[in-house]
Amino acid sequence: MKKDNSAKQSLTKNQSLVLQALAEADQPLGAYELLNRLQPSGFKAPLQVYRALDQLVEKGLVHRLESLNAWTACCEDQHSYTPVFAICDDCGNVTEHFDEQLAGNIEKVTKRSGFTPDRSIIEIHGQCDDCGTITQS
Amino acid sequence: MKKDNSAKQSLTKNQSLVLQALAEADQPLGAYELLNRLQPSGFKAPLQVYRALDQLVEKGLVHRLESLNAWTACCEDQHSYTPVFAICDDCGNVTEHFDEQLAGNIEKVTKRSGFTPDRSIIEIHGQCDDCGTITQS
DNA sequence: GGATAAAATGTTAGGTTATAACATAGCCGC
DNA sequence: GCGGCTATGTTATAACCTAACATTTTATCC
Ligand SMILES: [Zn+2]
Ligand SMILES: [Zn+2]
Ligand SMILES: [Zn+2]
Ligand SMILES: [Zn+2]
């Protein structure tokens, strides 16, 4: 991840459009949903979306949610720890969290067996605060 | 997860065939790869595989690896903690691990924001012991 | 500025992964 | 046997992703 403070400034047109669409959405979006939303801006083929997404992930500005086949804008400009995503299965809302201890735990678990970690995926499905309160009533 | 000790005994024909194919494989398998391997046993359509997989996951005998779009047989009959998968990007080998502290930390991170966790996905990509040793030479 | 190389984009086609919809067959308690 | 349930079979289609190749834009060096 070669992210720096100027990451957002060096974006190409397509990358900017995709990032903006993700930032404006209140949920993660699939590639084809992005394509739909960006057709007014001139997007015509899935590959345009996928290429921009790949580049944005490379820059650390966007994360892919593996269990949703969807992408979301990163919550901040810089973070050194692996993000933990909390995914509400009721309303679709996703939040990004960090925990220093977690990063250490993950390394510990795998290194017991000689494994060399590269990138980690942590996605927690459940119920967000809003949705949990509603159903408890 | 309504897994019990008799889970394996109450399997239907299709479920048994899919579980056996996964147990015999040395790597996680995709649904269509499973279909290929099970065609001699009479499987003809993807849905037969997907339905058996869903049921096996429900019983806790099979795990889905979200970042691989693949499935693997569970390493043991019972485990209470969320499994951590170490995925070697070189050889494709996947191992299942457990860590009480890690599971607790993940819950803690999300509960700070009022989130109620249901199921967690932890998949770590990297290099296994064998592959790491080779490239270091 | 002009030649060159690298990166980004456009476009078509095709491959992989997963589900919808509907029909059929077996099982079990009544 | 009847009704309800689960599992299965079958066809079609949706959703997600990439290969291949042509073109344009951008960066770099002289
Ligand atoms: Zn982030
Ligand atoms: Zn919610
Ligand atoms: Zn397991
Ligand atoms: Zn390996």
Side-chain angles (χ1 to χ4, degrees), chain A residues 29-61:
Chain A
L29 299 178
Y32 280 71
E33 175 59 28
L34 276 167
L35 177 58
N36 282 339
R37 299 190 183 197
L38 291 172
Q39 264 163 356
S41 305
F43 276 57
K44 288 180 181 169
L47 204 47
Q48 296 176 287
V49 179
Y50 281 108
R51 284 204 274 233
L53 285 170
D54 286 347
Q55 293 152 342
L56 289 167
V57 167
E58 176 73 12
K59 290 173 195 284
L61 297 171

PDB file of all heavy atoms in Angstrom, chain A residues 29-61:
ATOM      1  N   LEU A  29     -20.967  -0.337  -2.221  1.00  0.00           N
ATOM      2  CA  LEU A  29     -21.615  -0.533  -3.517  1.00  0.00           C
ATOM      3  C   LEU A  29     -20.912  -1.620  -4.308  1.00  0.00           C
ATOM      4  O   LEU A  29     -19.688  -1.744  -4.262  1.00  0.00           O
ATOM      5  CB  LEU A  29     -21.580   0.770  -4.320  1.00  0.00           C
ATOM      6  CG  LEU A  29     -22.293   1.972  -3.702  1.00  0.00           C
ATOM      7  CD1 LEU A  29     -22.119   3.196  -4.593  1.00  0.00           C
ATOM      8  CD2 LEU A  29     -23.772   1.672  -3.479  1.00  0.00           C
ATOM      9  N   GLY A  30     -21.695  -2.397  -5.053  1.00  0.00           N
ATOM     10  CA  GLY A  30     -21.122  -3.366  -5.981  1.00  0.00           C
ATOM     11  C   GLY A  30     -20.641  -2.666  -7.230  1.00  0.00           C
ATOM     12  O   GLY A  30     -20.998  -1.520  -7.509  1.00  0.00           O
ATOM     13  N   ALA A  31     -19.837  -3.356  -8.013  1.00  0.00           N
ATOM     14  CA  ALA A  31     -19.252  -2.745  -9.206  1.00  0.00           C
ATOM     15  C   ALA A  31     -20.324  -2.354 -10.212  1.00  0.00           C
ATOM     16  O   ALA A  31     -20.227  -1.308 -10.864  1.00  0.00           O
ATOM     17  CB  ALA A  31     -18.250  -3.710  -9.833  1.00  0.00           C
ATOM     18  N   TYR A  32     -21.360  -3.155 -10.327  1.00  0.00           N
ATOM     19  CA  TYR A  32     -22.393  -2.867 -11.317  1.00  0.00           C
ATOM     20  C   TYR A  32     -23.338  -1.772 -10.843  1.00  0.00           C
ATOM     21  O   TYR A  32     -23.859  -0.999 -11.646  1.00  0.00           O
ATOM     22  CB  TYR A  32     -23.153  -4.137 -11.702  1.00  0.00           C
ATOM     23  CG  TYR A  32     -22.378  -4.967 -12.704  1.00  0.00           C
ATOM     24  CD1 TYR A  32     -21.227  -5.641 -12.323  1.00  0.00           C
ATOM     25  CD2 TYR A  32     -22.769  -5.025 -14.025  1.00  0.00           C
ATOM     26  CE1 TYR A  32     -20.505  -6.370 -13.240  1.00  0.00           C
ATOM     27  CE2 TYR A  32     -22.061  -5.757 -14.948  1.00  0.00           C
ATOM     28  CZ  TYR A  32     -20.917  -6.423 -14.564  1.00  0.00           C
ATOM     29  OH  TYR A  32     -20.184  -7.129 -15.462  1.00  0.00           O
ATOM     30  N   GLU A  33     -23.508  -1.678  -9.528  1.00  0.00           N
ATOM     31  CA  GLU A  33     -24.269  -0.558  -8.995  1.00  0.00           C
ATOM     32  C   GLU A  33     -23.498   0.749  -9.239  1.00  0.00           C
ATOM     33  O   GLU A  33     -24.072   1.779  -9.606  1.00  0.00           O
ATOM     34  CB  GLU A  33     -24.526  -0.768  -7.505  1.00  0.00           C
ATOM     35  CG  GLU A  33     -25.209   0.396  -6.810  1.00  0.00           C
ATOM     36  CD  GLU A  33     -26.565   0.731  -7.425  1.00  0.00           C
ATOM     37  OE1 GLU A  33     -27.200  -0.177  -7.982  1.00  0.00           O
ATOM     38  OE2 GLU A  33     -26.966   1.916  -7.358  1.00  0.00           O
ATOM     39  N   LEU A  34     -22.184   0.693  -9.077  1.00  0.00           N
ATOM     40  CA  LEU A  34     -21.353   1.857  -9.387  1.00  0.00           C
ATOM     41  C   LEU A  34     -21.473   2.214 -10.862  1.00  0.00           C
ATOM     42  O   LEU A  34     -21.599   3.399 -11.220  1.00  0.00           O
ATOM     43  CB  LEU A  34     -19.890   1.570  -9.035  1.00  0.00           C
ATOM     44  CG  LEU A  34     -19.505   1.797  -7.578  1.00  0.00           C
ATOM     45  CD1 LEU A  34     -18.145   1.181  -7.277  1.00  0.00           C
ATOM     46  CD2 LEU A  34     -19.480   3.291  -7.259  1.00  0.00           C
ATOM     47  N   LEU A  35     -21.440   1.192 -11.706  1.00  0.00           N
ATOM     48  CA  LEU A  35     -21.563   1.443 -13.139  1.00  0.00           C
ATOM     49  C   LEU A  35     -22.878   2.164 -13.455  1.00  0.00           C
ATOM     50  O   LEU A  35     -22.897   3.146 -14.206  1.00  0.00           O
ATOM     51  CB  LEU A  35     -21.491   0.120 -13.906  1.00  0.00           C
ATOM     52  CG  LEU A  35     -21.667   0.209 -15.425  1.00  0.00           C
ATOM     53  CD1 LEU A  35     -20.621   1.122 -16.037  1.00  0.00           C
ATOM     54  CD2 LEU A  35     -21.581  -1.178 -16.046  1.00  0.00           C
ATOM     55  N   ASN A  36     -23.972   1.697 -12.844  1.00  0.00           N
ATOM     56  CA  ASN A  36     -25.260   2.358 -13.052  1.00  0.00           C
ATOM     57  C   ASN A  36     -25.190   3.838 -12.674  1.00  0.00           C
ATOM     58  O   ASN A  36     -25.620   4.706 -13.425  1.00  0.00           O
ATOM     59  CB  ASN A  36     -26.345   1.687 -12.199  1.00  0.00           C
ATOM     60  CG  ASN A  36     -26.814   0.393 -12.829  1.00  0.00           C
ATOM     61  OD1 ASN A  36     -26.636   0.185 -14.022  1.00  0.00           O
ATOM     62  ND2 ASN A  36     -27.388  -0.477 -12.019  1.00  0.00           N
ATOM     63  N   ARG A  37     -24.615   4.086 -11.501  1.00  0.00           N
ATOM     64  CA  ARG A  37     -24.599   5.459 -11.011  1.00  0.00           C
ATOM     65  C   ARG A  37     -23.664   6.356 -11.813  1.00  0.00           C
ATOM     66  O   ARG A  37     -23.790   7.576 -11.786  1.00  0.00           O
ATOM     67  CB  ARG A  37     -24.172   5.485  -9.530  1.00  0.00           C
ATOM     68  CG  ARG A  37     -25.125   4.708  -8.642  1.00  0.00           C
ATOM     69  CD  ARG A  37     -24.868   4.931  -7.175  1.00  0.00           C
ATOM     70  NE  ARG A  37     -25.775   4.110  -6.368  1.00  0.00           N
ATOM     71  CZ  ARG A  37     -26.016   4.308  -5.085  1.00  0.00           C
ATOM     72  NH1 ARG A  37     -25.392   5.283  -4.433  1.00  0.00           N
ATOM     73  NH2 ARG A  37     -26.858   3.531  -4.426  1.00  0.00           N
ATOM     74  N   LEU A  38     -22.705   5.749 -12.487  1.00  0.00           N
ATOM     75  CA  LEU A  38     -21.711   6.551 -13.194  1.00  0.00           C
ATOM     76  C   LEU A  38     -21.981   6.623 -14.697  1.00  0.00           C
ATOM     77  O   LEU A  38     -21.241   7.275 -15.432  1.00  0.00           O
ATOM     78  CB  LEU A  38     -20.308   5.992 -12.933  1.00  0.00           C
ATOM     79  CG  LEU A  38     -19.819   6.175 -11.495  1.00  0.00           C
ATOM     80  CD1 LEU A  38     -18.513   5.434 -11.274  1.00  0.00           C
ATOM     81  CD2 LEU A  38     -19.642   7.664 -11.185  1.00  0.00           C
ATOM     82  N   GLN A  39     -23.033   5.989 -15.142  1.00  0.00           N
ATOM     83  CA  GLN A  39     -23.347   6.063 -16.569  1.00  0.00           C
ATOM     84  C   GLN A  39     -23.636   7.498 -17.025  1.00  0.00           C
ATOM     85  O   GLN A  39     -23.219   7.890 -18.120  1.00  0.00           O
ATOM     86  CB  GLN A  39     -24.497   5.115 -16.910  1.00  0.00           C
ATOM     87  CG  GLN A  39     -23.984   3.781 -17.424  1.00  0.00           C
ATOM     88  CD  GLN A  39     -25.007   2.670 -17.402  1.00  0.00           C
ATOM     89  OE1 GLN A  39     -26.127   2.865 -16.933  1.00  0.00           O
ATOM     90  NE2 GLN A  39     -24.623   1.509 -17.894  1.00  0.00           N
ATOM     91  N   PRO A  40     -24.292   8.305 -16.196  1.00  0.00           N
ATOM     92  CA  PRO A  40     -24.458   9.714 -16.588  1.00  0.00           C
ATOM     93  C   PRO A  40     -23.122  10.438 -16.755  1.00  0.00           C
ATOM     94  O   PRO A  40     -23.041  11.429 -17.473  1.00  0.00           O
ATOM     95  CB  PRO A  40     -25.260  10.310 -15.422  1.00  0.00           C
ATOM     96  CG  PRO A  40     -25.964   9.153 -14.816  1.00  0.00           C
ATOM     97  CD  PRO A  40     -25.052   7.983 -14.982  1.00  0.00           C
ATOM     98  N   SER A  41     -22.086   9.955 -16.090  1.00  0.00           N
ATOM     99  CA  SER A  41     -20.763  10.576 -16.202  1.00  0.00           C
ATOM    100  C   SER A  41     -19.953   9.988 -17.348  1.00  0.00           C
ATOM    101  O   SER A  41     -18.775  10.328 -17.505  1.00  0.00           O
ATOM    102  CB  SER A  41     -19.989  10.410 -14.902  1.00  0.00           C
ATOM    103  OG  SER A  41     -20.731  10.917 -13.809  1.00  0.00           O
ATOM    104  N   GLY A  42     -20.543   9.075 -18.102  1.00  0.00           N
ATOM    105  CA  GLY A  42     -19.859   8.568 -19.277  1.00  0.00           C
ATOM    106  C   GLY A  42     -19.341   7.143 -19.178  1.00  0.00           C
ATOM    107  O   GLY A  42     -18.808   6.615 -20.136  1.00  0.00           O
ATOM    108  N   PHE A  43     -19.503   6.516 -18.026  1.00  0.00           N
ATOM    109  CA  PHE A  43     -19.057   5.124 -17.892  1.00  0.00           C
ATOM    110  C   PHE A  43     -19.945   4.216 -18.740  1.00  0.00           C
ATOM    111  O   PHE A  43     -21.164   4.361 -18.739  1.00  0.00           O
ATOM    112  CB  PHE A  43     -19.100   4.685 -16.427  1.00  0.00           C
ATOM    113  CG  PHE A  43     -17.880   5.078 -15.645  1.00  0.00           C
ATOM    114  CD1 PHE A  43     -17.482   6.401 -15.552  1.00  0.00           C
ATOM    115  CD2 PHE A  43     -17.126   4.111 -14.990  1.00  0.00           C
ATOM    116  CE1 PHE A  43     -16.359   6.761 -14.823  1.00  0.00           C
ATOM    117  CE2 PHE A  43     -15.999   4.470 -14.262  1.00  0.00           C
ATOM    118  CZ  PHE A  43     -15.616   5.784 -14.178  1.00  0.00           C
ATOM    119  N   LYS A  44     -19.289   3.263 -19.436  1.00  0.00           N
ATOM    120  CA  LYS A  44     -20.057   2.391 -20.314  1.00  0.00           C
ATOM    121  C   LYS A  44     -19.808   0.908 -20.091  1.00  0.00           C
ATOM    122  O   LYS A  44     -20.622   0.084 -20.468  1.00  0.00           O
ATOM    123  CB  LYS A  44     -19.758   2.735 -21.778  1.00  0.00           C
ATOM    124  CG  LYS A  44     -20.370   4.056 -22.203  1.00  0.00           C
ATOM    125  CD  LYS A  44     -20.055   4.380 -23.652  1.00  0.00           C
ATOM    126  CE  LYS A  44     -20.669   5.730 -24.040  1.00  0.00           C
ATOM    127  NZ  LYS A  44     -20.173   6.218 -25.337  1.00  0.00           N
ATOM    128  N   ALA A  45     -18.682   0.546 -19.488  1.00  0.00           N
ATOM    129  CA  ALA A  45     -18.346  -0.872 -19.350  1.00  0.00           C
ATOM    130  C   ALA A  45     -17.855  -1.178 -17.936  1.00  0.00           C
ATOM    131  O   ALA A  45     -17.244  -0.318 -17.283  1.00  0.00           O
ATOM    132  CB  ALA A  45     -17.271  -1.257 -20.353  1.00  0.00           C
ATOM    133  N   PRO A  46     -18.127  -2.393 -17.461  1.00  0.00           N
ATOM    134  CA  PRO A  46     -17.704  -2.792 -16.118  1.00  0.00           C
ATOM    135  C   PRO A  46     -16.206  -2.573 -15.887  1.00  0.00           C
ATOM    136  O   PRO A  46     -15.787  -2.198 -14.786  1.00  0.00           O
ATOM    137  CB  PRO A  46     -18.032  -4.282 -16.070  1.00  0.00           C
ATOM    138  CG  PRO A  46     -19.085  -4.492 -17.083  1.00  0.00           C
ATOM    139  CD  PRO A  46     -18.842  -3.466 -18.159  1.00  0.00           C
ATOM    140  N   LEU A  47     -15.426  -2.800 -16.930  1.00  0.00           N
ATOM    141  CA  LEU A  47     -13.985  -2.724 -16.765  1.00  0.00           C
ATOM    142  C   LEU A  47     -13.540  -1.338 -16.321  1.00  0.00           C
ATOM    143  O   LEU A  47     -12.560  -1.192 -15.584  1.00  0.00           O
ATOM    144  CB  LEU A  47     -13.283  -3.120 -18.056  1.00  0.00           C
ATOM    145  CG  LEU A  47     -11.858  -3.620 -17.896  1.00  0.00           C
ATOM    146  CD1 LEU A  47     -11.782  -4.638 -16.779  1.00  0.00           C
ATOM    147  CD2 LEU A  47     -11.370  -4.228 -19.183  1.00  0.00           C
ATOM    148  N   GLN A  48     -14.245  -0.328 -16.745  1.00  0.00           N
ATOM    149  CA  GLN A  48     -13.876   1.022 -16.300  1.00  0.00           C
ATOM    150  C   GLN A  48     -13.999   1.131 -14.789  1.00  0.00           C
ATOM    151  O   GLN A  48     -13.169   1.743 -14.114  1.00  0.00           O
ATOM    152  CB  GLN A  48     -14.798   2.045 -16.974  1.00  0.00           C
ATOM    153  CG  GLN A  48     -14.643   2.084 -18.475  1.00  0.00           C
ATOM    154  CD  GLN A  48     -15.634   3.026 -19.130  1.00  0.00           C
ATOM    155  OE1 GLN A  48     -16.810   2.738 -19.226  1.00  0.00           O
ATOM    156  NE2 GLN A  48     -15.142   4.167 -19.579  1.00  0.00           N
ATOM    157  N   VAL A  49     -15.046   0.521 -14.251  1.00  0.00           N
ATOM    158  CA  VAL A  49     -15.243   0.551 -12.804  1.00  0.00           C
ATOM    159  C   VAL A  49     -14.191  -0.293 -12.101  1.00  0.00           C
ATOM    160  O   VAL A  49     -13.554   0.159 -11.141  1.00  0.00           O
ATOM    161  CB  VAL A  49     -16.648   0.037 -12.448  1.00  0.00           C
ATOM    162  CG1 VAL A  49     -16.847   0.042 -10.944  1.00  0.00           C
ATOM    163  CG2 VAL A  49     -17.709   0.881 -13.135  1.00  0.00           C
ATOM    164  N   TYR A  50     -13.984  -1.506 -12.586  1.00  0.00           N
ATOM    165  CA  TYR A  50     -13.057  -2.416 -11.921  1.00  0.00           C
ATOM    166  C   TYR A  50     -11.637  -1.861 -11.909  1.00  0.00           C
ATOM    167  O   TYR A  50     -10.911  -1.984 -10.927  1.00  0.00           O
ATOM    168  CB  TYR A  50     -13.082  -3.793 -12.589  1.00  0.00           C
ATOM    169  CG  TYR A  50     -14.273  -4.618 -12.173  1.00  0.00           C
ATOM    170  CD1 TYR A  50     -15.317  -4.851 -13.052  1.00  0.00           C
ATOM    171  CD2 TYR A  50     -14.369  -5.145 -10.889  1.00  0.00           C
ATOM    172  CE1 TYR A  50     -16.416  -5.607 -12.663  1.00  0.00           C
ATOM    173  CE2 TYR A  50     -15.459  -5.892 -10.497  1.00  0.00           C
ATOM    174  CZ  TYR A  50     -16.481  -6.119 -11.380  1.00  0.00           C
ATOM    175  OH  TYR A  50     -17.561  -6.850 -10.999  1.00  0.00           O
ATOM    176  N   ARG A  51     -11.241  -1.223 -13.007  1.00  0.00           N
ATOM    177  CA  ARG A  51      -9.879  -0.668 -13.047  1.00  0.00           C
ATOM    178  C   ARG A  51      -9.721   0.462 -12.047  1.00  0.00           C
ATOM    179  O   ARG A  51      -8.728   0.531 -11.315  1.00  0.00           O
ATOM    180  CB  ARG A  51      -9.551  -0.204 -14.468  1.00  0.00           C
ATOM    181  CG  ARG A  51      -9.255  -1.384 -15.381  1.00  0.00           C
ATOM    182  CD  ARG A  51      -8.402  -0.975 -16.561  1.00  0.00           C
ATOM    183  NE  ARG A  51      -9.196  -0.469 -17.663  1.00  0.00           N
ATOM    184  CZ  ARG A  51      -9.119  -0.914 -18.923  1.00  0.00           C
ATOM    185  NH1 ARG A  51      -8.292  -1.888 -19.220  1.00  0.00           N
ATOM    186  NH2 ARG A  51      -9.840  -0.373 -19.865  1.00  0.00           N
ATOM    187  N   ALA A  52     -10.703   1.340 -11.997  1.00  0.00           N
ATOM    188  CA  ALA A  52     -10.625   2.439 -11.038  1.00  0.00           C
ATOM    189  C   ALA A  52     -10.610   1.895  -9.609  1.00  0.00           C
ATOM    190  O   ALA A  52      -9.840   2.376  -8.757  1.00  0.00           O
ATOM    191  CB  ALA A  52     -11.794   3.394 -11.243  1.00  0.00           C
ATOM    192  N   LEU A  53     -11.425   0.889  -9.345  1.00  0.00           N
ATOM    193  CA  LEU A  53     -11.475   0.308  -7.997  1.00  0.00           C
ATOM    194  C   LEU A  53     -10.123  -0.295  -7.628  1.00  0.00           C
ATOM    195  O   LEU A  53      -9.630  -0.082  -6.512  1.00  0.00           O
ATOM    196  CB  LEU A  53     -12.571  -0.755  -7.930  1.00  0.00           C
ATOM    197  CG  LEU A  53     -13.999  -0.227  -7.872  1.00  0.00           C
ATOM    198  CD1 LEU A  53     -15.002  -1.357  -8.055  1.00  0.00           C
ATOM    199  CD2 LEU A  53     -14.248   0.514  -6.563  1.00  0.00           C
ATOM    200  N   ASP A  54      -9.521  -1.032  -8.537  1.00  0.00           N
ATOM    201  CA  ASP A  54      -8.227  -1.637  -8.258  1.00  0.00           C
ATOM    202  C   ASP A  54      -7.207  -0.572  -7.883  1.00  0.00           C
ATOM    203  O   ASP A  54      -6.441  -0.724  -6.934  1.00  0.00           O
ATOM    204  CB  ASP A  54      -7.733  -2.418  -9.485  1.00  0.00           C
ATOM    205  CG  ASP A  54      -8.491  -3.724  -9.668  1.00  0.00           C
ATOM    206  OD1 ASP A  54      -9.207  -4.119  -8.732  1.00  0.00           O
ATOM    207  OD2 ASP A  54      -8.357  -4.340 -10.740  1.00  0.00           O
ATOM    208  N   GLN A  55      -7.215   0.508  -8.636  1.00  0.00           N
ATOM    209  CA  GLN A  55      -6.239   1.566  -8.373  1.00  0.00           C
ATOM    210  C   GLN A  55      -6.514   2.270  -7.044  1.00  0.00           C
ATOM    211  O   GLN A  55      -5.590   2.624  -6.314  1.00  0.00           O
ATOM    212  CB  GLN A  55      -6.271   2.567  -9.541  1.00  0.00           C
ATOM    213  CG  GLN A  55      -5.756   1.950 -10.845  1.00  0.00           C
ATOM    214  CD  GLN A  55      -6.367   2.580 -12.082  1.00  0.00           C
ATOM    215  OE1 GLN A  55      -7.406   3.240 -12.024  1.00  0.00           O
ATOM    216  NE2 GLN A  55      -5.727   2.368 -13.230  1.00  0.00           N
ATOM    217  N   LEU A  56      -7.776   2.450  -6.734  1.00  0.00           N
ATOM    218  CA  LEU A  56      -8.130   3.095  -5.476  1.00  0.00           C
ATOM    219  C   LEU A  56      -7.795   2.197  -4.285  1.00  0.00           C
ATOM    220  O   LEU A  56      -7.349   2.699  -3.232  1.00  0.00           O
ATOM    221  CB  LEU A  56      -9.619   3.452  -5.463  1.00  0.00           C
ATOM    222  CG  LEU A  56     -10.015   4.603  -6.386  1.00  0.00           C
ATOM    223  CD1 LEU A  56     -11.535   4.678  -6.540  1.00  0.00           C
ATOM    224  CD2 LEU A  56      -9.474   5.927  -5.860  1.00  0.00           C
ATOM    225  N   VAL A  57      -7.990   0.905  -4.436  1.00  0.00           N
ATOM    226  CA  VAL A  57      -7.605  -0.022  -3.368  1.00  0.00           C
ATOM    227  C   VAL A  57      -6.099   0.010  -3.192  1.00  0.00           C
ATOM    228  O   VAL A  57      -5.586   0.040  -2.071  1.00  0.00           O
ATOM    229  CB  VAL A  57      -8.091  -1.454  -3.692  1.00  0.00           C
ATOM    230  CG1 VAL A  57      -7.439  -2.464  -2.762  1.00  0.00           C
ATOM    231  CG2 VAL A  57      -9.600  -1.530  -3.606  1.00  0.00           C
ATOM    232  N   GLU A  58      -5.384   0.042  -4.298  1.00  0.00           N
ATOM    233  CA  GLU A  58      -3.922   0.106  -4.256  1.00  0.00           C
ATOM    234  C   GLU A  58      -3.446   1.346  -3.506  1.00  0.00           C
ATOM    235  O   GLU A  58      -2.493   1.302  -2.738  1.00  0.00           O
ATOM    236  CB  GLU A  58      -3.391   0.107  -5.687  1.00  0.00           C
ATOM    237  CG  GLU A  58      -1.871   0.262  -5.814  1.00  0.00           C
ATOM    238  CD  GLU A  58      -1.129  -0.990  -5.393  1.00  0.00           C
ATOM    239  OE1 GLU A  58      -1.773  -2.046  -5.226  1.00  0.00           O
ATOM    240  OE2 GLU A  58       0.088  -0.904  -5.213  1.00  0.00           O
ATOM    241  N   LYS A  59      -4.134   2.449  -3.707  1.00  0.00           N
ATOM    242  CA  LYS A  59      -3.787   3.695  -3.036  1.00  0.00           C
ATOM    243  C   LYS A  59      -4.279   3.734  -1.588  1.00  0.00           C
ATOM    244  O   LYS A  59      -3.979   4.669  -0.843  1.00  0.00           O
ATOM    245  CB  LYS A  59      -4.392   4.888  -3.789  1.00  0.00           C
ATOM    246  CG  LYS A  59      -3.743   5.182  -5.141  1.00  0.00           C
ATOM    247  CD  LYS A  59      -4.541   6.264  -5.870  1.00  0.00           C
ATOM    248  CE  LYS A  59      -4.174   6.350  -7.352  1.00  0.00           C
ATOM    249  NZ  LYS A  59      -2.898   7.020  -7.616  1.00  0.00           N
ATOM    250  N   GLY A  60      -5.084   2.766  -1.203  1.00  0.00           N
ATOM    251  CA  GLY A  60      -5.576   2.717   0.172  1.00  0.00           C
ATOM    252  C   GLY A  60      -6.772   3.615   0.432  1.00  0.00           C
ATOM    253  O   GLY A  60      -7.133   3.845   1.582  1.00  0.00           O
ATOM    254  N   LEU A  61      -7.403   4.102  -0.618  1.00  0.00           N
ATOM    255  CA  LEU A  61      -8.545   4.999  -0.444  1.00  0.00           C
ATOM    256  C   LEU A  61      -9.866   4.243  -0.427  1.00  0.00           C
ATOM    257  O   LEU A  61     -10.898   4.800  -0.031  1.00  0.00           O
ATOM    258  CB  LEU A  61      -8.562   6.038  -1.566  1.00  0.00           C
ATOM    259  CG  LEU A  61      -7.344   6.969  -1.603  1.00  0.00           C
ATOM    260  CD1 LEU A  61      -7.352   7.821  -2.875  1.00  0.00           C
ATOM    261  CD2 LEU A  61      -7.336   7.860  -0.378  1.00  0.00           C
TER     262      LEU A  61
END
